[in-house]
Amino acid sequence: MLVRTIRDIKNGAKMGFSSLLRRSFSVWSGTVVDMGNKDGELRVFMVAGEVSGDSIASRLMASLKKLSPLPIRFSGVGGPRMSKEGLESLFPMEDISVMGMWELLPHLNKFRVRLKETFEGAILFRPHVVVTVDSKGFSFRLLKQLRARYGWQESNGPLHFHYVAPSFWAWKGGEARLKGLANFVDHILCILPNEEAVCKLNGLDATFVGHPVLEDIVEFNLGKQASPHDLKIEGNSEDFRRKYALSPGAAVISLLPGSRLQEVIRMLSIFSHAFDQLKDSIPELITVIHVASNQHVENYIDGVIHKWPVPAILIPGGHQHLKYDAFSVSSSALLIQKAFIELNQKCMT
């Protein structure tokens, strides 16, 4: 993703990480790399509040470690995949993984405490760059506070990147959501090609860096001799049937209940009722439940699965090949609206 940004400059010439930062932010009194050179290292503070953000951020961290001209150090908030890349999260990522206003209210005090801890952690870390990934409710509050703390003119203030543009295209009048972001976001990293131009029209520096599913395809095909245009994701249904001893007549339905505890609690109840209605009319009905890499979600599903109306197979998060094998054997899928939007995004790319 960011690798594409680094290489895809006006005339297609390859550029290093430092050149990208100089090109994009030369208007600033001191560039990130200049500040990093002065300190002998590049400090990046990263925040992800959801499973998808943890995946995106971990890949970004891996790329930055390869591309940075300086030793690089990370701090912030993230999940297991970011931890594997060297991040020691200030607290469990799940603590800020909440859905909207009504879901936030019961957890408002914890949310405020975690926001304060993150802000203070960033100040103590003295980052050259702050990267927030999605989770706009938490991310934008943090960036606003940091910008207010450092002000516009202080030369040692960090640059603010936000990865994954707000879904302005999904809502009527959605572009209004972009207004004012330039006050605390220096650059948006977009995952859909149409987003870059719209962000720029609304006063935001932006770069289209590609959709995460493209990296899924690359990772899925490691070691295969094929051109990038010929790569695709194909699961192995026969392997899956053998692994779980499924009969040829088994009717398999995949279930994607979400990555946040609140949505999983709500959706599993609805899905359970649906399968209770289906089990008498569909012989050998099997559910494959894709479980997000969220400890709260994992614990909840483990606690309720014994009451599930039909046999169920749990697919743990982070197992890409197993996930796509499950998709290949499934005749259909039930998923929440957010997952449906993400599935449409994948189709668009």
Side-chain angles (χ1 to χ4, degrees), residues 36 38 62 94-95 129 157 169 174 190 205 216 223 234 238 349:
K38 183 178 179 181
E94 291 85 353
D95 287 359
V129 180
W169 41 263
C190 305
D205 284 331
D216 285 349
E234 280 186 331
E238 292 305 315
T349 56

Side-chain angles (χ1 to χ4, degrees), residues 128-337:
H128 304 110
V129 180
V130 177
V131 181
T132 54
V133 185
D134 211 354
S135 301
K136 291 171 283 296
F138 189 90
S139 295
F140 289 169
R141 285 175 174 84
L142 173 66
L143 295 179
K144 286 178 181 178
Q145 290 187 13
L146 289 173
R147 184 50 47 86
R149 164 65 175 80
Y150 285 104
W152 282 95
Q153 303 302 324
E154 192 168 340
S155 61
N156 64 343
L159 291 178
H160 293 176
F161 287 80
H162 184 70
Y163 206 139
V164 183
S167 302
F168 56 84
W169 41 263
W171 311 98
K172 183 178 180 180
E175 287 188 34
R177 294 169 177 242
L178 302 177
K179 302 295 185 184
L181 292 189
N183 292 331
F184 55 89
V185 176
D186 298 312
H187 205 96
I188 294 277
L189 301 176
C190 305
I191 65 172
L192 295 178
N194 62 303
E195 294 174 335
E196 178 180 334
V198 177
C199 285
K200 289 179 176 178
L201 286 174
N202 285 273
L204 280 166
D205 284 331
T207 304
F208 167 56
V209 295
H211 198 282
V213 73
L214 300 177
E215 288 183 284
D216 285 349
I217 295 172
V218 172
E219 290 178 3
F220 198 83
N221 289 275
L222 286 177
K224 294 183 180 179
Q225 298 298 319
S227 72
H229 298 291
D230 294 329
L231 295 178
K232 56 185 177 180
I233 296 179
E234 280 186 331
N236 192 316
S237 60
E238 292 305 315
D239 278 357
F240 192 88
R241 286 187 180 275
R242 281 194 297 269
K243 180 179 177 67
Y244 293 100
L246 301 179
S247 71
V252 181
I253 297 180
S254 270
L255 202 62
L256 290 82
S259 62
R260 300 166 176 172
L261 181 60
Q262 295 90 345
E263 63 190 0
V264 171
I265 292 173
R266 183 171 66 245
M267 297 311 299
L268 274 187
S269 175
I270 296 171
F271 291 154
S272 176
H273 180 71
F275 278 94
D276 195 45
Q277 298 290 311
L278 291 171
K279 66 181 181 181
D280 292 331
S281 57
I282 302 179
E284 296 187 73
L285 180 59
I286 304 289
T287 311
V288 174
I289 303 178
H290 297 260
V291 184
S293 299
N294 177 318
Q295 191 62 55
H296 299 327
V297 169
E298 293 170 359
N299 293 341
Y300 177 77
I301 292 179
D302 286 342
V304 301
I305 195 63
H306 66 282
K307 300 178 182 178
W308 199 253
V310 300
I313 298 169
L314 303 184
I315 305 298
H319 293 70
Q320 291 291 82
H321 283 77
L322 188 57
K323 176 177 73 173
Y324 287 107
D325 287 349
F327 287 163
S328 70
V329 81
S330 299
S331 59
S332 56
L334 294 177
L335 55 161
I336 64 169
Q337 180 185 18

Side-chain angles (χ1 to χ4, degrees), residues 2-9 13-17 20 67:
L2 188 58
V3 175
R4 172 172 179 166
T5 307
I6 295 169
R7 293 177 178 171
D8 185 20
I9 309 302
K14 292 184 179 179
M15 298 182 70
F17 180 58
L20 168 68
L67 295 167

Side-chain angles (χ1 to χ4, degrees), residues 80-94:
R81 295 190 63 167
M82 293 171 71
S83 295
K84 289 180 181 179
E85 295 297 335
L87 179 80
E88 291 188 12
S89 186
L90 296 174
F91 50 80
M93 178 184 71
E94 291 85 353

